[in-house]
């Protein structure tokens, strides 16, 4: 095990020791029951203060990585490895991803899940505080200029980016959905279902974090197919009208749509149409079934788990598909 300390980097010496032990576990240089050098030996061999070494060992002990045995020293507690999963928000379709991810991990892997809520300060705090404390990192990124600098501090072989292809480098590991060309191709599949409607309305509220490229492809699709269209960004202006078909990137709008249909005696799938973005476990059962454009979040979770389980790189795009139900 290499406990070398680099004096030319800003990372504290105690954290470098923590990282060295975690790296040794990740590389199978250390395993359950192996003894660590004593505090005195580390101090002597690497010219470190006793406080520095003791702090590093205390962090490892608190994280369950090592245990201390009286009069014998410090030992690797078990083969348990901790993984940090950073999501944007915990919506229904993210729950599908999360459960698929956790279900496909061995029992020795513990997952800490945290949420940044599209707030850069939250994002920086979560990742900076977790640096060196985890075996691997699975991160859902978002559109902010400071995100790349935060991610640049993590080794590519320990970092997996998921969901949105933004701020990713060619060398990064990733499992993404495609909000661009794949979305455009799925819209072509929607065309037959749109024939009974007079107008196609995209509801893209100002509060959404859905990639804006979807708006561009929606416009291009409607113009190419000569479909009358409208884009609603002010949710207060959302009004359901007969013979309109709606595509919404926000699940808040689905409730508003169904409420207005009931109040106006409009039948979804006949008088008006509705197409939602992102499949959830309940959408097949809401009303008579809600049509969706969605990636497979279960597959995304499965592939993310394979990155944790295997020592190899991964670069995958999950297909986007159309699921037609009675709402369209």
């Amino acid at each position: 095990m290499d406990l070398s300390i680099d004096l030319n980097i800003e990372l504290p010496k105690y954290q470098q020791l923590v990282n060295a032990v975690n790296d040794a576990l990740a590389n199978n240089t250390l395993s359950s029951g192996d003894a660590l050098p004593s505090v005195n030996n580390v101090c002597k061999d690497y010219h470190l203060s006793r406080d520095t070494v003791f702090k590093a060992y205390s962090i490892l002990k608190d994280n369950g990585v090592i245990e201390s045995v009286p009069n014998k020293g410090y030992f690797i507690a078990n083969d348990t490895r901790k993984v940090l999963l950073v999501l944007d928000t915990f919506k229904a379709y993210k729950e599908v991803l999360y459960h698929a991810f956790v279900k496909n991990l061995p029992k020795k892997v513990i997952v800490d899940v945290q949420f940044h809520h599209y707030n850069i300060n939250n994002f920086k705090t979560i990742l900076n505080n977790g640096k060196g404390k985890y075996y691997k990192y699975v991160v859902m990124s978002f559109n902010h200029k400071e995100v790349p600098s935060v991610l640049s501090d993590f080794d590519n072989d320990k970092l997996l980016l998921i969901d949105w292809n933004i701020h990713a480098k060619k060398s990064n590991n990733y499992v993404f959905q495609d909000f661009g060309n794949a979305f455009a191709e799925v819209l072509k599949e929607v065309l037959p279902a749109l024939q009974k409607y007079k107008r196609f309305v995209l509801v893209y509220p100002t509060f959404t974090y859905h990639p804006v490229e979807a708006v561009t492809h929606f416009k291009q699709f409607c113009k190419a197919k000569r479909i009358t269209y409208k884009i609603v960004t002010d949710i207060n202006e959302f009004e359901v009208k007969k013979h309109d078909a709606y595509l919404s990137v926000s699940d808040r709008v689905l409730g508003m749509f169904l409420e207005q249909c009931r109040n106006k005696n409009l039948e979804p799938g006949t008088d008006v149409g509705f197409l939602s973005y992102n499949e959830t476990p309940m959408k097949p059962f809401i009303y008579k079934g809600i049509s969706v454009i969605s990636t497979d979040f279960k597959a995304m979770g499965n592939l993310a788990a394979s990155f944790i389980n295997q020592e190899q790189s991964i670069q995958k795009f999950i297909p986007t598909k159309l699921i037609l139900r009675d709402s369209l």
Side-chain angles (χ1 to χ4, degrees):
M1 182 180 65
D2 183 14
L3 291 180
S4 299
I5 302 299
D6 189 344
L7 301 178
N8 296 317
I9 61 176
E10 295 182 0
L11 193 65
K13 296 174 184 177
Y14 73 85
Q15 189 61 59
Q16 291 188 51
L17 283 177
V18 171
N19 293 355
V21 173
N22 285 329
D23 287 343
L25 277 169
N27 298 327
N28 296 317
T29 306
L30 284 176
S31 59
S32 179
D34 287 349
L36 292 179
S38 70
V39 173
N40 288 337
N41 284 342
V42 175
C43 292
K44 179 181 177 181
D45 293 343
Y46 297 96
H47 308 290
L48 298 174
S49 71
R50 185 177 180 83
D51 287 344
T52 296
V53 180
F54 187 75
K55 184 173 184 178
Y57 279 14
S58 295
I59 291 173
L60 290 166
K61 187 176 178 181
D62 289 342
N63 289 339
V65 177
I66 67 174
E67 59 185 356
S68 59
V69 179
N71 302 318
K72 290 187 177 181
Y74 293 90
F75 298 83
I76 299 299
N78 49 55
D79 290 328
T80 298
R81 294 175 176 177
K82 295 181 69 176
V83 171
L84 179 62
L85 174 63
V86 182
L87 302 177
D88 46 21
T89 57
F90 200 62
K91 295 182 179 179
Y93 56 92
K94 304 292 172 56
E95 187 173 4
V96 173
L97 184 158
Y98 171 77
H99 285 297
F101 178 64
V102 173
K103 182 179 179 181
N104 284 279
L105 295 175
K107 292 182 179 180
K108 67 180 182 179
V109 175
I110 298 173
V111 179
D112 285 348
V113 59
Q114 298 197 44
F115 306 94
H116 58 67
H117 299 287
Y118 302 99
N119 182 296
I120 189 59
N121 290 325
N122 289 346
F123 188 80
K124 289 192 291 187
T125 298
I126 291 168
L127 287 171
N128 289 337
N129 287 347
K131 199 179 304 177
K133 296 181 180 179
Y134 294 90
Y135 169 54
K136 287 185 179 179
Y137 303 79
V138 179
V139 179
M140 193 172 284
S141 186
F142 67 108
N143 188 15
H144 193 283
K145 63 182 181 181
E146 294 184 49
V147 166
S149 64
V150 178
L151 296 177
S152 66
D153 287 338
F154 292 82
D155 294 336
N156 280 330
D157 60 346
K158 291 189 175 183
L159 175 66
L160 176 70
L161 303 180
I162 61 172
D163 194 39
W164 188 6
N165 182 14
I166 188 166
H167 302 311
K169 300 182 296 185
K170 290 183 179 180
S171 57
N172 282 138
N173 293 287
Y174 59 77
V175 179
F176 291 145
Q177 60 173 308
D178 184 358
F179 292 97
N181 293 330
F183 171 61
E185 289 301 312
V186 170
L187 284 177
K188 295 177 184 178
E189 298 179 42
V190 179
L191 189 58
L194 295 176
Q195 299 303 313
K196 58 185 173 182
Y197 303 105
K198 294 181 178 180
R199 187 172 63 164
F200 197 16
V201 180
L202 173 64
V203 187
Y204 187 86
T206 53
F207 56 73
T208 186
Y209 289 96
H210 194 92
V212 71
E213 60 187 303
V215 178
T216 301
H217 285 286
F218 175 84
K219 289 180 179 178
Q220 291 174 347
F221 166 75
C222 291
K223 290 177 180 179
K225 302 301 179 181
R226 297 182 179 180
I227 297 171
T228 302
Y229 72 93
K230 180 181 180 181
I231 298 174
V232 176
T233 57
D234 186 347
I235 202 69
N236 296 316
E237 296 179 359
F238 176 68
E239 181 182 356
V240 177
K241 294 183 179 180
K242 192 172 183 178
H243 304 307
D244 280 355
Y246 298 88
L247 167 58
S248 176
V249 300
S250 169
D251 283 345
R252 296 190 206 177
V253 176
L254 175 56
M256 298 173 64
F257 169 82
L258 292 174
E259 182 178 19
Q260 290 191 36
C261 286
R262 181 182 60 190
N263 294 339
K264 296 181 179 184
N265 197 29
L266 297 173
E267 180 70 17
T270 302
D271 302 317
V272 290
F274 195 88
L275 179 60
S276 181
Y277 214 105
N278 293 322
E279 175 73 309
T280 68
M282 290 304 299
K283 284 179 183 175
F285 310 105
I286 296 175
Y287 197 70
K288 298 178 182 179
I290 303 300
S291 298
V292 296
I293 294 176
S294 183
T295 193
D296 187 337
F297 290 99
K298 182 177 180 180
M300 187 177 292
N302 291 342
L303 283 171
S306 72
F307 172 76
I308 304 301
N309 296 332
Q310 303 171 20
E311 296 298 328
Q312 60 184 31
S313 60
I314 182 172
Q315 293 184 330
K316 293 278 188 179
F317 273 90
I318 305 294
T320 299
K321 61 183 179 181
L322 172 67
I323 304 176
L324 275 177
R325 301 187 178 111
D326 288 348
S327 68
L328 199 62

